[in-house]
């Protein structure tokens, strides 16, 4: 009984994710889903992406939080369309679901956007199970979290296209083994695009932005067959 | 329909938690539930608690992980009874449930233990919703995670008895506002016992261990009414 219902939730989530994906192809909008532990740097990274790309692309933001509008408040200075999903409204959920993303997208004018950035709930477990119809899942792993996380939370790492290894400015102060984390990532997802960055100092960010910008352009400049 | 089933899960979890609590009173065993984000330092803290208290109390360990036995392997050097719960076996769950704790406790010889330490799955959201029948919930928050976490994940912070603010050895290298995090903690749970520690250097640990040791002694030396 219980299993059946769980299956229904995932099936229905997957179906809406598929519809979102088709909508974004028609509208030529690129969508990112940024995930990672609480405090790994998702908001600072989102802020840096916006600063780097807002003169090039039209951007909308979807902020997922259990409670508070802290993150939306921080991003409000950019004066871009932001939709805040407080999951406490849905019972304190630990993830975002595709139906809430669809509702959020309906509130944007997609004809006037190139890029939508979703900042997911801070959680290395549950959000990985819910497809949102995005073009690129980005998992953020900060070095103070340790080298073993890809092995301990494999679903998050093997469903992500890109990994941002953040807070590398702290490396001189930590007993951290970069080769070991690379080996662990390799075991779980050898195809993942890895960037070593510091969202605070900006180190390594240019390379990531060039890569991301390229991905966005490929989609929005692609001739639709419709 | 779905809501009903969710309620059943929580109700049944709560019932088993109550039974565990009663069992631990009878057996005079103190139980800790250590929770926090991935990489906040739960395993290092568990290791330090064991090192500090293993000559004073008889200790058993329950390790929760989605996958891998990394943490159990690290703690195995103490040569104490360890039970590893791999939640991937239960479908990759993001939390521990009381029925799994009960099964784990049945595998220990409780007559020969004073303290059971549960290291929960790395997650600041879901484990907070599942009572495990313990005497003390400890939430670990590491300073690189930022000052806003108590406001963003209030359930975790207001159901915990103790907060370990970990990795304070990194303070000189971070733009971190201790007064702000204290204010945020105060808003969510003014009664929480706060200790500022570094599990790596050992700073602040003595005070926490004295407090914990006192709590354990109170329970195990308490004359049973049976």
């Amino acid at each position: 009984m219980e299993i059946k219902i769980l299956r229904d939730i995932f099936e229905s989530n997957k179906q809406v994710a598929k519809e979102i994906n088709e909508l974004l192809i028609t509208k030529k909008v690129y969508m990112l889903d940024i995930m990672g532990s609480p405090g790994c740097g998702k908001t600072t990274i989102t802020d840096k992406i916006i600063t780097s790309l807002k003169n090039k692309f039209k951007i909308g933001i979807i902020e997922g939080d259990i409670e508070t509008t802290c993150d939306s408040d921080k991003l409000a200075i950019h004066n871009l369309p932001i939709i805040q999903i407080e999951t406490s409204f849905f019972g304190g959920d630990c993830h975002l679901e595709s139906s809430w993303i669809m509702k959020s997208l309906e509130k944007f004018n997609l004809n006037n956007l190139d890029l939508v950035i979703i900042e997911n709930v801070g959680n290395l477990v549950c959000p990985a199970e819910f497809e949102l119809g995005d073009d690129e899942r980005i998992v953020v792993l900060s070095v103070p979290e340790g080298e073993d996380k890809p092995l301990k939370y494999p679903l998050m790492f093997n469903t992500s296209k890109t990994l941002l290894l953040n807070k590398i400015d702290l490396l001189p102060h930590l007993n951290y083994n970069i080769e070991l984390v690379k080996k662990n990532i390799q075991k779980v997802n050898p195809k993942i695009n890895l960037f070593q960055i510091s969202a605070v100092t900006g180190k390594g960010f240019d390379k990531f932005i060039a890569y991301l910008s390229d991905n966005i352009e490929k989609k929005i400049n692609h001739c639709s067959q419709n």
Side-chain angles (χ1 to χ4, degrees), chain A:
Chain A
M1 187 75 158
E2 185 197 333
I3 290 165
K4 186 184 168 307
I5 284 178
L6 276 177
R7 188 176 301 141
D8 285 350
I9 291 174
F10 286 123
E11 278 305 312
S12 125
N13 184 78
K14 209 170 174 171
Q15 180 54 37
V16 176
K18 207 172 149 253
E19 288 164 22
I20 289 174
N21 200 266
E22 285 159 8
L23 176 68
L24 295 177
I25 290 171
T26 313
K27 297 292 186 183
K28 295 186 179 185
V29 173
Y30 198 83
M31 189 161 81
L32 297 178
D33 179 10
I34 303 183
M35 303 190 288
S37 293
C40 67
K42 293 182 295 300
T43 310
T44 312
I45 286 169
T46 303
D47 181 67
K48 269 257 182 325
I49 294 174
I50 296 169
T51 304
S52 306
L53 294 179
K54 70 180 175 183
N55 292 326
K56 197 167 178 180
F57 303 114
K58 288 163 280 175
I59 305 174
I61 305 146
I62 300 175
E63 272 295 326
D65 263 319
I66 296 171
E67 243 165 274
T68 80
T69 55
C70 297
D71 295 346
S72 296
D73 297 347
K74 279 181 211 155
L75 298 175
I77 51 157
H78 293 292
N79 206 20
L80 295 173
I82 300 187
I83 288 166
Q84 163 87 34
I85 304 175
E86 276 192 33
T87 66
S88 67
F89 185 76
F90 301 91
D93 257 305
C94 46
H95 61 271
L96 295 177
E97 292 184 16
S98 57
S99 58
W100 315 338
I101 298 300
M102 184 60 109
K103 283 200 182 75
S104 304
L105 292 176
E106 283 163 5
K107 291 189 182 174
F108 286 136
N109 178 0
L110 287 182
N111 294 322
N112 206 20
L113 287 183
D114 303 313
L115 172 66
V116 170
I117 306 174
I118 303 170
E119 187 185 336
N120 218 310
V121 178
N123 187 332
L124 214 46
V125 187
C126 321
E129 296 183 36
F130 290 84
E131 292 180 24
L132 300 181
D134 52 89
D135 295 278
E136 181 164 357
R137 276 192 171 188
I138 297 181
V139 55
V140 180
L141 176 65
S142 65
V143 292
E145 293 173 61
E147 302 94 341
D148 56 352
K149 297 304 163 292
L151 300 181
K152 293 177 76 178
Y153 305 91
L155 187 66
M156 180 61 82
F157 289 86
N158 71 32
T159 59
S160 291
K161 193 168 166 183
T162 301
L163 192 163
L164 299 180
L165 190 64
N166 192 24
K167 306 196 187 179
I168 56 164
D169 54 299
L170 292 176
L171 284 175
H173 315 296
L174 297 167
N175 182 12
Y176 192 83
N177 185 338
I178 282 272
E179 292 313 311
L180 177 58
V181 77
K182 282 188 188 167
K183 223 168 81 182
N184 291 341
I185 294 163
Q186 193 67 18
K187 277 183 195 164
V188 174
N189 184 350
K191 285 187 191 162
I192 208 163
N193 298 301
L194 171 66
F195 296 92
Q196 298 180 35
I197 63 160
S198 165
V200 167
T201 68
K203 197 174 170 188
F205 226 79
D206 288 354
K207 213 171 146 189
F208 164 62
I209 289 295
Y211 153 86
L212 184 59
S213 184
D214 197 43
N215 284 350
I216 300 165
E217 275 181 335
K218 264 183 207 152
K219 182 167 187 186
I220 68 175
N221 295 328
H222 183 77
C223 293
S224 168
Q225 287 177 314
N226 298 334

